[in-house]
Amino acid sequence: MYYKKLTGEKCYLAPIDENDVSLYTAWFNDLEVTRNLLAFSWSLNEKHERETLEKISKDNNYGIHDLGNDALIGGVGLHDLDFLHRRCEIGVFIGDKSYWGKGFGTEALHLLARFAFDYLNIRNIMLRVFEFNERAIKCYQKVGFKIIGKRRRAIEIERKVYDIIYMDLLSEDLS
Ligand SMILES: CC(C)(COP(=O)(O)OP(=O)(O)OC[C@H]1O[C@@H](n2cnc3c(N)ncnc32)[C@H](O)[C@@H]1OP(=O)(O)O)[C@@H](O)C(=O)NCCC(=O)NCCS
């Protein structure tokens, strides 16, 4: 059973269930997914993934579920929470590729950002994205994230060099 912590119109966010470990392991071994994340360099089997899930499940990381059928389709989480300066980072992935481009990423980010602003009293949420990841950049802009800079030539993948784009979001930017 999944627990609906935050619910939108097409998805809900639920605490991570370690019984889903094989799904997460499959996603983190899929280069089409991980080439967009720093995770492409990791070697992960189910044992390592289970340890990771156990650790991160206590820290504002959630599974993204299709509200229509409860299917787990990806994950979204807050990182580097700094309650002194009220800031954090956010990360998202949709592991089930059949769900890409259907608005789930946008809604999942919206739900967690709203939660961070309203319940964790966060003021500024930042994220990083590789410059070739146009779908992600479009998704982040739809949520309200603004480009604040770039780290030049900071990622090399498939023999090409790219910038890492930095974006951030304040409560009033949230669409
Ligand atoms: C990035 C990601 C989270 C976005 O979630 P999503 O549910 O696919 O995105 P959404 O459907 O909410 O929004 C994507 C938007 O980009 C558009 N889009 C899709 N493919 C695109 C492309 N190749 N170039 C530009 N825009 C594109 C979509 O049409 C949509 O805009 P629209 O609603 O105006 O039509 C998801 O695709 C994903 O997890 N990808 C793999 C891992 C990843 O990249 N994670 C992010 C790392 S920073």
Side-chain angles (χ1 to χ4, degrees), residues 17-174:
D17 185 336
E18 284 170 45
N19 293 318
D20 290 317
V21 63
S22 55
L23 210 42
Y24 285 100
T25 310
W27 292 335
F28 280 94
N29 280 290
D30 181 344
L31 275 172
E32 274 190 82
V33 176
T34 60
R35 72 186 289 280
N36 301 295
L37 312 162
L38 286 171
F40 62 77
S41 62
W42 303 345
S43 304
L44 267 185
N45 60 20
E46 278 203 17
K47 178 174 174 288
H48 298 142
E49 184 57 25
R50 189 179 294 280
E51 288 163 5
T52 304
L53 291 179
E54 196 180 349
K55 200 162 89 198
I56 69 169
S57 59
K58 301 181 190 98
D59 287 332
N60 291 296
N61 289 287
Y62 297 96
I64 305 170
H65 294 262
D66 181 339
L67 187 60
N69 60 13
D70 288 319
L72 175 66
I73 62 165
V76 61
L78 302 173
H79 313 281
D80 295 328
L81 286 139
D82 179 335
F83 290 109
L84 179 61
H85 299 292
R86 298 172 54 194
R87 63 192 182 198
C88 68
E89 293 199 31
I90 199 164
V92 63
F93 73 94
I94 306 289
D96 184 331
K97 292 177 278 190
S98 69
Y99 279 88
W100 284 1
K102 294 181 177 166
F104 285 85
T106 301
E107 188 173 272
L109 279 170
H110 203 284
L111 287 170
L112 193 55
R114 182 86 274 154
F115 175 74
F117 291 134
D118 290 353
Y119 293 92
L120 303 180
N121 300 327
I122 290 295
R123 182 164 42 208
N124 177 295
I125 304 176
M126 193 182 82
L127 60 76
R128 290 174 253 194
V129 56
F130 302 157
E131 71 169 309
F132 61 77
N133 197 347
E134 291 173 14
R135 184 190 300 109
I137 294 167
K138 177 91 187 288
C139 164
Y140 301 150
Q141 285 171 331
K142 280 197 300 172
V143 175
F145 281 89
K146 300 189 186 337
I147 294 176
I148 52 170
K150 52 181 75 165
R151 187 170 185 180
R152 295 167 302 157
R153 290 179 236 154
I155 180 92
E156 181 160 352
I157 182 165
E158 294 155 356
R159 302 188 192 190
K160 292 196 187 119
V161 177
Y162 300 95
D163 296 341
I164 298 179
I165 295 173
Y166 284 66
M167 304 178 79
D168 78 357
L169 180 81
L170 301 175
S171 178
E172 59 264 34
D173 300 328
L174 200 55

